[in-house]
Amino acid sequence: TMDAITKALCIPLRDCIKGYKTELRRLHPFEKVVADLTARARQKKDGLTLMDVLDDMNEARKELLLAGKDWTAKAKNAETAREAAEYMVEGEERMYELLRELAAGPVGDIIALQKALRTTPAVRLDTPAVVLVGAPNVGKSSIVRAISSATPEVSNYPFTTRGMTLGHVEVFWEDQSTTAAAVIPEIGDKRSKWEKDAASESMLQSYAFSQLCKVMDSPGLLVRADNERNEMEALTLAAMQHLPTAVMYVMDLSG
């Protein structure tokens, strides 16, 4: 029936709008910054904000709902069953045309934004982390590559790091009283995953407990006002502000 078609087209749009608005309110402060920065990057590209896209999707939903009611009324008020069936066929075609005209654009924008959000760093919010910050080209990526599982690009020119790179390292302690004397195993080698897992298991037998920690390689920060910073600099500052992080300032004193 036309009512079923209307619901099939409008309910997914309604749920998408409601879901985004609900989840945005529930986000952790760091996740909220990541979503906002991703949306801002999209806004620079096509001039649309997330709220603009959701509003367009809601308008499309309203138009489809009204059209569905109109075609349902025409079919009910038809003088013959044949005329009612013709209204149903014509109404169904028109409903799908409206969907393509009004909703395809906003839905495509939401899908593009969702794909962009998938490329942002997936951070466990309860895991201790070390954020390496400093000027461009001072060796932050080299440190992360040497001590963690991450493999950031390392080159001898500024701004090699164009995003936040996450690596993980398992840290071992002998007992609760020696938390300041953690042991970090060397993992910057070419051993297989099985060999590294076996080595980790062997170390765990020698120590009381271990903790998986994150090491975050950030883009270079320049000395400038916050309103002049780009999205990657803002992401670095958000990680420092909202995550359980220790901040390591990396400097190159060689000149």
Side-chain angles (χ1 to χ4, degrees):
T1 65
M2 185 57 60
D3 184 57
I5 294 172
T6 302
K7 289 181 178 179
L9 298 180
C10 293
I11 289 178
L13 296 177
R14 182 203 65 190
D15 290 345
C16 180
I17 297 165
K18 184 178 179 181
Y20 264 90
K21 291 184 176 180
T22 300
E23 289 303 317
L24 286 174
R25 290 194 296 267
R26 294 177 179 174
L27 289 178
H28 181 277
F30 177 74
E31 294 174 323
K32 190 172 294 185
V33 171
V34 171
D36 180 60
L37 293 174
T38 304
R40 278 166 50 185
R42 288 286 308 176
Q43 183 180 0
K44 288 181 179 179
K45 181 178 179 180
D46 52 29
L48 292 175
T49 66
L50 175 58
M51 289 300 109
D52 290 335
V53 174
L54 293 179
D55 287 343
D56 289 344
M57 188 179 294
N58 193 40
E59 289 301 316
R61 183 191 66 83
K62 290 179 181 178
E63 290 293 330
L64 285 167
L65 191 59
L66 289 174
K69 290 180 178 179
D70 288 342
W71 286 106
T72 299
K74 287 182 180 180
K76 285 183 177 180
N77 296 327
E79 295 181 356
T80 64
R82 181 175 180 178
E83 186 178 357
E86 290 175 352
Y87 277 133
M88 290 289 292
V89 172
E90 185 179 356
E92 182 178 356
E93 293 176 354
R94 182 54 185 155
M95 291 289 287
Y96 285 116
E97 288 176 5
L98 281 175
L99 180 69
R100 288 190 292 268
E101 292 173 8
L102 302 177
V107 170
D109 291 333
I110 283 289
I111 292 173
L113 178 61
Q114 191 66 42
K115 288 181 179 179
L117 286 170
R118 287 179 181 175
T119 65
T120 57
V123 178
R124 286 188 58 180
L125 303 174
D126 59 346
T127 303
V130 176
V131 178
L132 305 186
V133 299
N137 201 32
V138 294
K140 299 187 296 296
S141 297
S142 296
I143 294 174
V144 171
R145 179 183 284 270
I147 68 172
S148 79
S149 60
T151 55
E153 180 183 355
V154 178
S155 298
N156 189 29
Y157 57 85
F159 298 104
T160 308
T161 303
R162 299 178 180 86
M164 182 76 76
T165 303
L166 293 179
H168 293 86
V169 56
E170 191 170 10
V171 183
F172 297 85
W173 284 273
E174 292 182 352
D175 55 63
Q176 294 282 359
S177 64
T178 59
T179 54
V183 176
I184 301 177
E186 295 182 5
I187 65 170
D189 53 38
K190 296 182 179 180
R191 290 179 295 175
S192 67
K193 182 181 183 300
W194 181 87
E195 291 172 321
K196 290 180 181 179
D197 289 344
S200 177
E201 181 66 26
S202 176
M203 288 197 67
L204 191 56
Q205 293 175 1
S206 304
Y207 293 90
F209 63 96
S210 68
Q211 170 71 59
L212 187 66
C213 300
K214 296 189 298 287
V215 183
M216 307 174 74
D217 177 25
S218 64
L221 291 175
L222 298 178
V223 180
R224 53 184 173 182
D226 286 344
N227 59 358
E228 298 177 356
R229 297 192 184 280
N230 59 35
E231 285 80 6
M232 288 298 99
E233 289 179 293
L235 183 61
T236 299
L237 295 175
M240 295 166 58
Q241 181 178 2
H242 298 300
L243 296 178
T245 55
V247 180
M248 179 183 293
Y249 294 92
V250 181
M251 295 176 286
D252 182 2
L253 302 181
S254 66

